[in-house]
């Protein structure tokens, strides 16, 4: 199914100028050094990259993002650093990862505040928007394609495995009965109407896990994360570090095992680093953040 997407909201209304989550912990964990070469695979508004560029003299950053809005914002926010920053539009799974190049690699995984807050991108059911959810709007697959085109078994699978939704089959069946859907609120209302009252008025909206599952499926997030964990370690110099911030259990599980199982890495964090109460008060979305760090072994 093809949908007509509304024009992107101007950057001056919804921007990627996010507060970098676990910024102090990440900079300390990467051991930023003067003249170091760093790879930020999810630059967003440039928050983490700015911290790296400020942490030591003559640091350089390769700033990567699959969202063109992010790169536009980062180029503005990091313009003062001139040629110390290079920018590349790509999904990090497609980055070439040149061997023995970077002193540090970082990725802030998952959906950004910009994606959740900008209603036209269709990541949230708080506002009526097209069922989009593409981080890279140059790709063709949208959430509407999945909701309106996939069969009940396929929908049940992603809702259960990507959303950890225990009512996945019931919700998938209701979607099949009521589709087609064109907006986020239509889908959320249909999901809410088919679950028991106790579930409907629980701690989180009953559509929350389904929307997470759709986002992961649209952007193939778990597969590209596994690709990253396979391709990134050889790109570190000996002693270089990789730092990954995840926001839900599915991502964290992949990061944990991917770092542990790499022959090139030594895990530096036995347990994930989490936000302090002070940071959570300042930035509530940091509550679920988990930072894991590993270092490339020096043979």
């Amino acid at each position: 199914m093809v949908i007509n997407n509304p024009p992107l909201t101007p950057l001056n209304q919804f921007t990627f100028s996010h507060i970098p989550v676990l910024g102090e912990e990440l900079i300390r964990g990467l051991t930023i050094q003067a003249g170091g070469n760093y790879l930020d695979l999810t630059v967003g508004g440039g928050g983490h990259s700015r911290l790296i560029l400020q942490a030591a003299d003559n640091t350089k950053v390769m700033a990567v993002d699959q969202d063109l809005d992010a790169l536009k914002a980062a180029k503005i926010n990091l313009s003062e650093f001139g040629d110390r920053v290079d920018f590349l539009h790509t999904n990090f799974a497609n980055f070439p990862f040149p061997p023995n190049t970077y002193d540090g690699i970082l990725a802030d995984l998952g959906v950004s505040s910009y994606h959740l807050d900008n209603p036209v991108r269709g990541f949230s059911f708080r506002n009526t928007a097209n069922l989009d959810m593409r981080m890279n709007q140059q790709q063709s697959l949208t959430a509407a394609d999945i909701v309106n085109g996939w069969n009940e078994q396929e929908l049940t699978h992603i809702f259960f495995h990507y959303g950890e939704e225990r009512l996945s089959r019931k919700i998938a069946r209701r979607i099949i009965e009521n589709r087609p859907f064109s907006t986020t609120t239509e889908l959320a209302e249909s999901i809410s109407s088919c679950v028991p009252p106790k579930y409907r008025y629980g701690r989180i909206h009953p559509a929350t896990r389904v929307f997470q599952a759709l986002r992961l499926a649209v952007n193939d997030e778990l597969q590209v994360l596994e690709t990253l964990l396979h391709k990134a370690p050889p790109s570190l110099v000996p002693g270089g570090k990789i730092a990954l911030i995840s926001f839900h259990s599915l991502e964290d599980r992949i990061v944990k095992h991917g770092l542990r199982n790499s022959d090139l890495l030594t895990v530096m964090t036995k347990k994930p680093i989490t936000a302090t109460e002070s940071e959570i008060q300042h930035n509530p979305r940091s509550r679920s953040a988990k930072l894991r760090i590993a270092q490339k072994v020096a043979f």
Side-chain angles (χ1 to χ4, degrees):
M1 176 180 179
V2 177
I3 60 175
N4 294 319
N5 295 300
L8 292 181
T9 302
L11 279 173
N12 59 1
Q13 183 173 349
F14 296 100
T15 74
F16 275 88
S17 56
H18 70 290
I19 304 169
V21 173
L22 296 171
E24 293 182 8
E25 293 84 353
L26 183 141
I27 296 301
R28 187 165 55 246
L30 286 176
T31 320
I32 305 299
Q33 51 191 299
N37 192 19
Y38 296 89
L39 174 60
D40 185 347
L41 291 166
T42 52
V43 68
H48 288 117
S49 284
R50 171 174 288 275
L51 293 178
I52 291 173
L53 293 161
Q54 292 175 333
D57 293 336
N58 299 318
T59 52
K60 293 185 177 181
V61 172
M62 169 60 76
V64 177
D65 209 288
Q66 64 179 326
D67 194 310
L68 283 172
D69 279 0
L71 287 180
K72 291 176 184 177
K75 287 178 181 179
I76 294 171
N77 295 338
L78 301 175
S79 60
E80 66 191 86
F81 298 101
D83 61 5
R84 292 173 59 193
V85 190
D86 289 318
F87 298 92
L88 180 65
H89 175 234
T90 189
N91 185 295
F92 56 61
N94 298 324
F95 187 76
F97 291 103
N100 299 309
T101 300
Y102 297 105
D103 296 286
I105 298 174
L106 67 134
D108 183 354
L109 305 169
V111 66
S112 70
S113 297
Y114 166 87
H115 290 125
L116 293 172
D117 293 339
N118 188 340
V120 304
R121 299 297 292 270
F123 284 89
S124 171
F125 46 79
R126 292 178 299 181
N127 299 282
T128 299
N130 286 336
L131 280 165
D132 192 329
M133 301 194 192
R134 293 172 298 170
M135 292 183 182
N136 179 0
Q137 293 200 302
Q138 294 185 347
Q139 77 172 47
S140 59
L141 182 68
T142 69
D145 295 329
I146 294 175
V147 168
N148 295 314
W150 290 18
N151 63 38
E152 182 178 327
Q153 183 179 359
E154 291 169 326
L155 292 176
T156 299
H157 175 82
I158 65 167
F159 296 162
F160 183 78
H161 291 283
Y162 292 175
E164 299 178 302
E165 172 55 69
R166 63 185 182 87
L167 298 180
S168 57
R169 188 173 300 279
K170 183 180 183 69
I171 292 171
R173 188 173 299 120
R174 175 58 60 91
I175 288 174
I176 297 292
E177 292 170 352
N178 290 351
R179 67 188 189 186
F181 297 93
S182 61
T183 69
T184 53
T185 47
E186 286 175 351
L187 179 60
E189 289 167 4
S190 182
I191 294 168
S192 184
S193 70
C194 79
V195 301
K198 182 179 180 181
Y199 202 73
R200 191 178 309 153
Y201 302 108
R203 184 174 58 87
I204 64 172
H205 191 284
T208 300
R209 295 185 181 91
V210 170
F211 270 63
Q212 173 184 295
L214 287 170
R215 190 199 86 221
L216 291 174
V218 167
N219 298 288
D220 200 19
E221 292 181 42
L222 301 185
Q223 181 59 53
V224 298
L225 176 55
E226 291 181 350
T227 300
L228 164 65
L229 287 161
H230 173 70
K231 295 171 69 174
S235 197
L236 289 167
V237 301
K241 296 180 179 178
I242 182 170
L244 302 173
I245 301 173
S246 61
F247 287 87
H248 58 74
S249 59
L250 295 175
E251 287 177 337
D252 182 59
R253 193 176 305 128
I254 292 172
V255 171
K256 176 182 177 180
H257 292 292
L259 297 180
R260 178 187 295 173
N261 295 335
S262 173
D263 294 335
L264 296 178
L265 299 175
T266 299
V267 175
M268 310 297 291
T269 48
K270 291 184 178 180
K271 294 183 178 180
I273 298 170
T274 57
T276 63
E277 286 301 320
S278 175
E279 179 174 3
I280 292 171
Q281 290 179 6
H282 185 56
N283 180 15
R285 285 178 178 163
S286 68
R287 182 181 301 277
S288 57
K290 294 182 178 180
L291 168 63
R292 294 184 185 271
I293 302 171
Q295 184 173 33
K296 186 176 181 181
V297 296
F299 291 106

